[in-house]
Amino acid sequence: MVVDEHYVIRIPDNLPLDACASLLYAGITTYSPLRYFGLDKPGMHVGVVGLGGLGHAAVKFAKALGVKVTVISTSPGKKKEAVERLGADSFLVSHDPDQMQVAMGTMDGIIDTVSASHPVLPLIGLLKSHGKLILVGAAEKPLELPVFPLLMRRKIVAGSGIGGIKETQAMIDFASKQNITSDIEVIPMNYVNTAMERLVKADVRYRFVIDIGNTLKAAYNLLALWFLNLSFLFKVCLLLLDKNIHGFYSLVVLNLIYLVLSLLGTQNFNSILYLNLNK
Amino acid sequence: MVVDEHYVIRIPDNLPLDACASLLYAGITTYSPLRYFGLDKPGMHVGVVGLGGLGHAAVKFAKALGVKVTVISTSPGKKKEAVERLGADSFLVSHDPDQMQVAMGTMDGIIDTVSASHPVLPLIGLLKSHGKLILVGAAEKPLELPVFPLLMRRKIVAGSGIGGIKETQAMIDFASKQNITSDIEVIPMNYVNTAMERLVKADVRYRFVIDIGNTLKAAYNLLALWFLNLSFLFKVCLLLLDKNIHGFYSLVVLNLIYLVLSLLGTQNFNSILYLNLNK
């Protein structure tokens, strides 16, 4: 594979490739606005709306930056996960008016990862003066933006999507230093449809990673098996026509060995197959 | 009048009080976001939506900051005013798709002074990456905010309303240095209802200023006249009861002089009246 050097990200050794993969999307999408909008000063208070792939990355990066993090979610059941496992400082149920009222005007910024339509007025209320609501979820329908609450305390609603290569490298280096990876579930290619169904139900913590390398190897092996079987049948016919029973048995044994090797998915299988076909 | 020193703005001598009055609203409301959002660097390109009281102040301040200014308006008729009189660099008719298309992605920021409901998507389109749409008009209904166009080029929609005392003083000092005043029409208090009707028709360039000082003086004189007439009638009754015809005529003449003086609105009228009543 040939890649322009300007588009290559160096992955430090301590980051596993699979758990690092989604940092290149969820990581940079949340790290970038935290940095760009200055929500990266220790002691600041940042809200994270939605605890999914983007949300859990936002919590990890914000915490690593020394920021106080409050997860805002519609699901009270996510509190334990947010606070105990991901290390958020507090948890707000967005449809609980009492909890929301107490938190009014306390946040320097909010990373809103929700891509479904949702009201932003309560979120704007959570912000301090000059607070920043950053939308990183791509809602399809336009949001209803109340103007007066923005005007009165000079608040900002902004959008942010991924980040440039330089910033992505900075994010990966920061993740390496802080030992941040995404929480993932590695799946083979043929699990994709099931994965899609589970995604709809938000049944993944927090990203599926498709193991393309092994999937391709398996697919290639499958293809090789087809060729093997074709050559096997062809040779069987030839040997039976010659009444070469010794040759017939040795071919069967040899091909059984190839079969076992291919099922084990050894990397040398392809070259063995190649030798066999050209013998 | 007693004012806490923290809330006093010093008006330099070269700024006339009447033409400076609306700077304390329209001036600071447009100057503040230009400064706060960094739209004050010479060579930048800033759009100003709506050419009213706020809009004309935005144009004046942005030009004084060395920024390239484009006025965006629904009224093609305002082009001459915007460009020739206020010194805007260019003019866009917001409902002309060709003009808008050419200007796409050219602006560092936009000061949107329109308080009526209006679509913001075309305005977001005018912004460069990282561009800032600043709403200073308080639309009553929520705006429809498309999320994806914000996300793709990390754009900001913000609100801003007036500014603090320190910033207001800085604005006045800047206005003094740059000889910026509001374009105004000075009216007496009793013109207010007509002024309101004209405001609805946007028939003012660009702010009415009510001359409270002179209005109050006239009102006070009217009140004094009532007292004068009451004392006149009372003394006439006394003199007629005494059959003092000489005193009666001299009182009539004296009061006619007071009447003329009061109609002329001299500042000494009140003290003359006071002497008369206590004679």
Side-chain angles (χ1 to χ4, degrees), chain A residues 38-51:
Chain A
L39 301 173
D40 55 356
K41 316 285 180 296
M44 277 188 164
H45 184 194
V46 169
V48 173
V49 186
L51 197 63

Side-chain angles (χ1 to χ4, degrees), chain A residues 32-33 36-37 130 132 135-148 150-163 167, chain B residues 32-33 36-37 130 132 135-148 150-163 167:
Chain A
S32 171
Y36 179 76
F37 292 101
H130 298 172
K132 295 157 185 172
L135 310 170
V136 297
E140 227 173 287
K141 285 186 193 166
L143 294 179
E144 277 209 352
L145 182 69
V147 179
F148 213 67
L150 282 189
L151 238 74
M152 289 313 290
R153 302 181 78 183
R154 190 143 65 186
K155 295 174 180 179
I156 286 174
V157 176
S160 189
I162 61 166
E167 206 174 15
Chain B
S32 170
Y36 179 75
F37 292 101
H130 297 173
K132 294 157 188 174
L135 310 170
V136 296
E140 226 173 290
K141 284 186 195 167
L143 295 178
E144 277 208 353
L145 182 70
V147 179
F148 213 66
L150 281 188
L151 238 74
M152 288 313 289
R153 303 180 78 184
R154 192 146 61 187
K155 295 175 182 179
I156 286 173
V157 175
S160 188
I162 63 166
E167 206 174 17

Side-chain angles (χ1 to χ4, degrees), chain A residues 168-185:
Chain A
T168 304
Q169 185 64 64
M171 176 275 299
I172 286 289
D173 293 343
F174 181 79
S176 163
K177 213 169 136 191
Q178 302 280 339
N179 266 309
I180 297 174
T181 53
S182 282
D183 296 356
I184 54 162
E185 186 177 331

